[in-house]
Amino acid sequence: MEPAVRIFDTTLRDGEQSPGATMTGPEKLEIAVAIARLGVDVIEAGFPAASLGDFAAVQTIAREVGGSVSRGRKRDAPPTICALARATTADIDRAFEAVREAAHPRIHTFLATSDLHLRHKLRMTRAEVLDRVRVAVTHARSLCADVEFSPEDATRSDPEFLHEVLAVAIAAGATTLNVPDTVGFTTPDEFGALISGICTRVPGIEKAIVSVHCHDDLGMATANTLAGLAAGARQAEVTINGIGERAGNCALEEVVMALATRAKHFGVRTEIDTTQLASVSRLLTAITGIAVPPNKAVVGANAFAHESGIHQDGMLKHEETYEIMRPESVGAQQTRLVLGKHSGKHALKSRLESLGHRLAEGALEEVLIRFKALAEKRREITDADLDAIALSTSREPEALYELTGLQVACGTTGMPTATVRLRDPGGVVHVHAAVGTGPVHAVYRAIEEIVQVPSTLLEFSVRAVTSGIDALGEVSVRVQGDRADRSGRNSIFHGHGADTDVLVASARAYLAALNRLLATGSRQ
Ligand code: KIV
Ligand code: ZN
């Protein structure tokens, strides 16, 4: 059998660093369960030293997903649960505290090695870096048998010094050496040469697994990751949908499908259940609000669509003419609708699950009510409608503010005026009227007057979910809190709303984002 490549998923750590990808604890757990079910080897669950919320989320994932009985996982062993730590004793202690209850805990510590970072960011000499790596890895190893070390900005580091640092990390007990292309700077041939140099020249390298971690600033993250694997790396660090800092990380689904589709070429395998890729991708979109572009490889809406006549003709004659992988191999078969007003809760639940939405009982009830209301107006509900409704349904155990009424007056004369009725978390009903430059502005001002959370609306977009005059309107917003949280960030929160009335959809979207801001604030 071909050698195995470990899939290390960092959606919940590096992925969460995407602007607007901030997730609540229960959302992180939901993603971790889905990622574990997918069959990944390692889940990097977060950065426990960053905040109390991050620590608690990592600890819960270590217990619930990394415990000896891992929910719904096909493979017998639970995944390794990893926590990130800067190369300091305090961070490393905190990371271990968070993952210690996992059956397979891992500490991942890192320190930059490029002269650029040493001079301008760390203000450390090379000798000091070597010393810090030795101390940090030794300390991590005294707590945990599985320790990963990353030389941050490895691809812009002097290779000789990089080798020296990695040798020190191995001697101090690191079991995985990860090589990050932190700023997405490298190219496939250059990165392949770097990895093969590490695999052949670093003293003691045979005792460790070499890993690759590529960012997508120049659109080469997947190509660079594959080049690293071809050169001898045996772990790939990736995120679902490629989310992550700036242009993102290498996309899990792209690497996994490249290795599966070109198995003979690469000669390595992964343990991923590829038929779950589409649903995990949708779940992440549902939770973060970060949409996948339609032309995105593997999980984009058009990844298996054939538009031109010549291609359609070829497809009808033989699928392999224009298809290198089957949609069902990634779980993307296009089941068009299906459900109507007589469909029951079970049918709805199973359809939602196949679309990637695993909702708690309360949220499922809410989707059912809204689905039935739409089915009263429309004969058929499509997958896209269901997706939009589920996306705009609160995943929080308790919604903070709830929209219970909305009335808007607008037109060619007079000031657009909105009257909004909201129920607050204590059950008190508030009614407020406001005017604005347009109807949405008026609605948002009325909501702001009631909720009173200092924030800035960064983005507002509206689209029709399906074609036709009776289409659902889907509104997405991004809101930034005006106050920094404990980790010093002004986090960005997304909100989705869907309704046949776009003003109701707009109100729901804004309220969802403000609720998330309030919920996160109250947890820190
Ligand atoms: O990109 C990077 O350098 C990282 C490290 C912490 C591994 O994410
Ligand atoms: Zn990274």
Side-chain angles (χ1 to χ4, degrees), residues 133-469:
V133 170
R134 184 179 305 108
V135 172
V137 175
T138 305
H139 180 59
R141 214 22 231 275
S142 73
L143 302 170
C144 187
D146 188 347
V147 173
E148 174 168 327
F149 172 73
S150 290
E152 192 190 7
D153 205 18
T155 53
R156 293 192 298 169
S157 302
D158 168 8
E160 294 301 317
F161 180 57
L162 182 65
H163 290 184
E164 233 183 301
V165 172
L166 294 177
V168 165
I170 297 173
T175 45
T176 299
L177 294 176
N178 179 45
V179 185
D181 182 27
T182 305
V183 289
F185 175 73
T186 198
T187 63
D189 53 347
E190 202 176 75
F191 196 53
L194 181 71
I195 297 300
S196 102
I198 289 170
C199 290
T200 49
R201 291 206 285 276
V202 171
I205 196 70
E206 65 291 344
K207 291 186 244 161
I209 300 268
V210 175
S211 165
V212 288
H213 176 115
C214 298
H215 281 266
D216 207 30
D217 298 66
L218 292 173
M220 290 189 280
T222 301
N224 289 336
T225 298
L226 292 169
L229 296 176
R234 287 295 168 262
Q235 176 176 283
E237 300 202 352
V238 288
T239 61
I240 303 293
N241 296 343
I243 68 165
E245 192 83 49
R246 304 180 311 279
N249 287 58
C250 176
L252 179 147
E253 62 279 4
E254 292 178 12
V255 167
V256 165
M257 287 316 288
L259 295 180
T261 309
R262 302 300 311 276
K264 279 205 195 106
H265 176 79
F266 287 106
V268 290
R269 72 193 156 81
T270 74
E271 298 283 336
I272 298 297
D273 174 1
T274 62
T275 63
Q276 299 189 33
L277 289 172
S279 67
V280 176
S281 159
R282 273 194 295 256
L283 176 68
L284 186 68
T285 298
I287 285 180
T288 60
I290 300 177
V292 168
N295 61 331
K296 164 84 175 64
V298 183
V299 293
N302 295 345
F304 296 94
H306 302 274
E307 189 72 20
S308 92
I310 295 173
H311 287 209
Q312 288 176 351
D313 179 55
M315 284 294 291
L316 289 172
K317 289 177 176 145
H318 197 293
E319 282 145 358
E320 279 178 32
T321 51
Y322 289 103
E323 217 161 59
I324 57 165
M325 36 186 175
R326 298 292 304 141
E328 49 276 20
S329 69
V330 302
Q333 52 275 53
Q334 294 294 311
T335 324
R336 306 289 307 178
L337 211 181
V338 172
L339 300 169
K341 67 176 176 182
H342 300 297
S343 306
K345 190 163 153 190
H346 284 300
L348 181 72
K349 184 168 183 242
S350 102
R351 191 83 211 105
L352 282 168
E353 283 185 357
S354 69
L355 291 171
H357 302 282
R358 287 187 169 74
L359 300 177
E361 194 52 32
L364 186 63
E365 283 297 335
E366 192 185 328
V367 173
L368 184 64
I369 292 168
R370 294 179 56 197
F371 160 73
K372 294 270 176 188
L374 185 62
E376 284 298 331
K377 297 183 196 159
R378 293 238 308 263
R379 207 164 47 83
E380 273 194 340
I381 316 293
T382 66
D383 282 356
D385 292 319
L386 264 191
D387 228 14
I389 295 174
L391 260 161
S392 67
T393 299
S394 171
R395 285 164 181 274
E396 286 293 310
E398 77 295 346
L400 293 172
Y401 281 87
E402 199 186 328
L403 180 72
T404 57
L406 175 67
Q407 210 176 339
V408 180
C410 60
T412 52
T413 49
M415 301 276 275
T417 309
T419 308
V420 169
R421 195 172 62 224
L422 302 183
R423 187 178 309 117
D424 75 14
V428 179
V429 173
H430 305 256
V431 181
H432 200 89
V435 291
T437 50
V440 175
H441 187 214
V443 171
Y444 282 21
R445 286 185 70 183
I447 291 176
E448 279 159 19
E449 287 297 331
I450 300 174
V451 177
Q452 305 254 347
V453 51
S455 60
T456 306
L457 180 66
L458 300 179
E459 244 177 70
F460 171 89
S461 68
V462 57
R463 70 171 190 111
V465 172
T466 50
S467 55
I469 197 73

Side-chain angles (χ1 to χ4, degrees), residues 45 54-64 97-101:
D54 283 45
F55 178 88
V58 176
Q59 191 172 52
T60 306
I61 291 168
R63 283 182 188 144
E64 302 233 347
E97 195 51 40
V99 293
R100 67 185 309 158
E101 289 179 51

